[in-house]
Amino acid sequence: MRLILPILFLTILSIKAFSREVASDSLANIARNAMFTDAYIQIEGKLHSKKLKVEVNLGDTPEQTKAGKEYSEKLTGKSHMLLS
């Protein structure tokens, strides 16, 4: 019994010494700055065809529209499997 209390005290002390607290403001900043985007991808073509038409829609802003057109041009006509 005399040995259990010092071991318990040292265990609690070591756990407290090596633990860290996460600042709540950093979590709020992460949530505020998080940006979630959706992509709508439409693939047209026959099964096992080498000619595929791919339309990528990333959103309505000019940057998203431009990026969607670039992805569409890069992926159109590819014969490999696009989605697995």
Side-chain angles (χ1 to χ4, degrees):
M1 184 70 175
R2 295 164 70 190
L3 197 56
I4 293 175
L5 288 176
I7 291 174
L8 183 63
F9 178 73
L10 290 175
T11 304
I12 292 173
L13 185 64
S14 65
I15 290 173
K16 181 65 178 166
F18 289 109
S19 66
R20 291 189 297 170
E21 291 183 20
V22 178
S24 62
D25 61 334
S26 65
L27 293 176
N29 286 335
I30 291 171
R32 189 178 15 216
N33 294 331
M35 177 181 257
F36 301 98
T37 59
D38 293 326
Y40 177 74
I41 301 172
Q42 180 178 357
I43 303 171
E44 295 177 356
K46 295 181 181 178
L47 187 65
H48 302 297
S49 174
K50 293 191 180 212
K51 295 180 181 179
L52 296 176
K53 182 179 179 188
V54 180
E55 299 248 349
V56 179
N57 184 355
L58 298 175
D60 295 331
T61 65
E63 296 86 14
Q64 292 171 333
T65 305
K66 181 181 175 185
K69 286 181 183 178
E70 289 175 2
Y71 284 126
S72 296
E73 291 172 3
K74 288 180 184 178
L75 296 174
T76 297
K78 303 291 184 190
S79 62
H80 58 78
M81 185 68 151
L82 295 173
L83 301 173
S84 55

